[in-house]
Amino acid sequence: MDKIRKRRVFHARHLRLGLVWALIPCIFAFDTLTNYEIAGAVFYLVVILLAVGLLSTRGVIALAGLCVVLTVLSLAMTPKGNLNVGLINAGISIAAIGIATFLAIRIFVAEGAANEARSQLTRIARITSLDALTTSIAHEINQPLAAILTSGQAGLRWLEQGSAHIDKVRNSLDRTVIDAKRASDIIARVRALAKGGASVRENVSLSEIVLDTLNLARPDILHHAIEVNMDIGDDLPLVLADRVQLQQVISNLILNAIEALKSAPVQNRTIEIHARTDTHDEVVISVRDNGSGICEDVLDKIFDPFFTTRDEGIGMGLTISRSIVDAHGGQMWVHPNVPRGASFYFSLPVRSDTTT
């Protein structure tokens, strides 16, 4: 899938680049064959805008210089019309080319800086999420490590009693291998959640992502006696998304639900996770709790940067989660529950190339 996506991006870039070089002679011919009164050279702006993001900054500047040269050459070759008007139109066109090139390059550089800052901020949010999960992760890793120790000690005892217990030794070793793989899987999930780098989108299963995230948070869920109910069908379509980023979104919603449930009566602590396909070819995921809830007067601020209802919160988790969902072409919203609690929803589009 990743190779297909890269091939499509490659073809799209070459198509745009081919369009750039095809437009230049067409605009030159139009500007040369028409009267001085028609400022055909202004269409070189389209060439500049198409080239931004395809060529380097120097390449765009060189292309703008070529457009200016062609504008002057066309002025000299134009056969008819008012020359004074032609000079004014050429001057306006050259100025427009220069201004458009400057602004386009500035916007391109600014977008690059913004993307880099967004990437770093996302990584900080991942680390913050991991900080909240540290105790749970340590507890979860300790379980398979303790099981490995127990299995190893049992195997050694059976070996000391002679070869008659070789089957029991083999069983102990099998359990050791299984528990070691459990510990390795936990560490792999943590490393994936903490890693930085560029977004890598692929066909992913939402049910697998939810289960992986729940496995990380399960010790904290058990510690607070929270019941988790899931309604995620196996027939859900795959979505084209960054697995780690979606895990971060779901992790943040689950952690928020756990935090909200700490003040609820122990017998009523419930988290419900649902996923369904709606009529707009979107998968909608919801995380619902019956915890402390959200006041009506802060609903419109809940996704704002640095807004938080917790003393120890930094107010960036939901902001970044929503930006991740927006970047995937989806939406995120929240509704208060009656009589208490809150439901967070986010949608992701089902692409035509994400068939199961």
Side-chain angles (χ1 to χ4, degrees), residues 114-324:
N115 289 336
E116 177 64 22
R118 190 179 300 114
S119 176
Q120 292 299 322
L121 191 57
T122 300
R123 187 170 185 274
I124 291 172
R126 291 192 189 123
I127 300 301
T128 303
S129 297
L130 284 176
D131 180 63
L133 285 169
T134 298
T135 304
S136 297
I137 293 169
H139 179 74
E140 189 177 357
I141 292 177
N142 187 60
Q143 287 181 331
L145 291 180
I148 290 171
L149 179 60
T150 302
S151 299
Q153 291 174 338
L156 288 174
R157 285 196 301 269
W158 293 123
L159 282 175
E160 290 174 355
Q161 295 179 20
S163 59
H165 301 286
I166 191 67
D167 289 339
K168 295 181 179 179
V169 173
R170 182 180 294 108
N171 290 336
S172 295
L173 291 176
D174 288 341
R175 289 195 299 270
T176 300
V177 171
I178 292 172
D179 290 321
K181 187 177 185 305
R182 281 179 56 203
S184 176
D185 290 342
I186 294 168
I187 294 171
R189 291 199 302 268
V190 174
R191 290 182 63 186
L193 188 60
K195 75 176 183 179
S199 174
V200 178
R201 298 191 182 185
E202 57 186 347
N203 285 337
V204 296
S205 167
L206 284 170
S207 58
E208 290 181 3
I209 295 176
V210 171
L211 287 174
D212 282 347
T213 309
L214 280 175
N215 283 333
L216 284 176
R218 191 168 302 281
D220 208 15
I221 291 171
L222 295 175
H223 176 71
H224 294 287
I226 298 172
E227 179 183 355
V228 177
N229 298 322
M230 286 182 53
D231 182 14
I232 300 179
D234 295 331
D235 58 345
L236 278 179
L238 302 178
V239 296
L240 185 63
D242 184 298
R243 178 184 297 272
V244 174
Q245 290 186 351
L246 286 193
Q247 188 176 8
Q248 181 185 349
V249 172
I250 297 171
S251 173
N252 185 68
L253 296 182
I254 292 175
L255 288 174
N256 286 350
I258 293 173
E259 188 68 27
L261 286 167
K262 289 180 180 179
S263 60
V266 175
Q267 66 272 19
N268 294 330
R269 296 177 180 178
T270 304
I271 295 176
E272 297 180 1
I273 303 175
H274 299 270
R276 59 181 172 80
T277 305
D278 68 4
T279 56
H280 301 289
D281 290 331
E282 291 181 328
V283 177
V284 179
I285 301 93
S286 65
V287 178
R288 176 188 179 99
D289 67 77
N290 57 348
S292 54
I294 303 173
C295 298
E296 292 281 352
D297 57 345
V298 301
L299 274 178
D300 58 343
K301 304 176 184 177
I302 199 69
F303 294 106
D304 290 351
F306 305 111
F307 177 83
T308 180
T309 57
R310 305 201 311 261
D311 293 337
E312 70 279 10
I314 62 173
M316 289 303 297
L318 288 175
T319 302
I320 293 176
S321 294
R322 192 181 211 181
S323 70
I324 290 173

Side-chain angles (χ1 to χ4, degrees), residues 12 46 51 59 74 80 85 99 104 168 179 198 211 249 266 334:
V46 178
S74 176
K80 52 186 176 179
V85 174
I99 293 171
K168 295 181 179 179
D179 290 321
L211 287 174
V249 172
V266 175
V334 61

Side-chain angles (χ1 to χ4, degrees), residues 26-97:
C26 294
I27 295 172
F28 176 77
F30 174 77
D31 190 30
T32 303
L33 296 177
T34 54
N35 296 342
Y36 285 124
E37 289 79 4
I38 299 177
V42 77
F43 290 107
Y44 285 124
L45 296 179
V46 178
V47 173
I48 300 300
L49 295 177
L50 284 174
V52 173
L54 294 177
L55 303 177
S56 64
T57 300
R58 291 184 178 180
V60 174
I61 294 174
L63 183 63
L66 174 63
C67 292
V68 170
V69 170
L70 292 177
T71 300
V72 175
L73 184 60
S74 176
L75 176 66
M77 297 174 61
T78 297
K80 52 186 176 179
N82 189 318
L83 179 60
N84 290 331
V85 174
L87 289 171
I88 293 173
N89 284 341
I92 293 173
S93 298
I94 292 172
I97 292 171

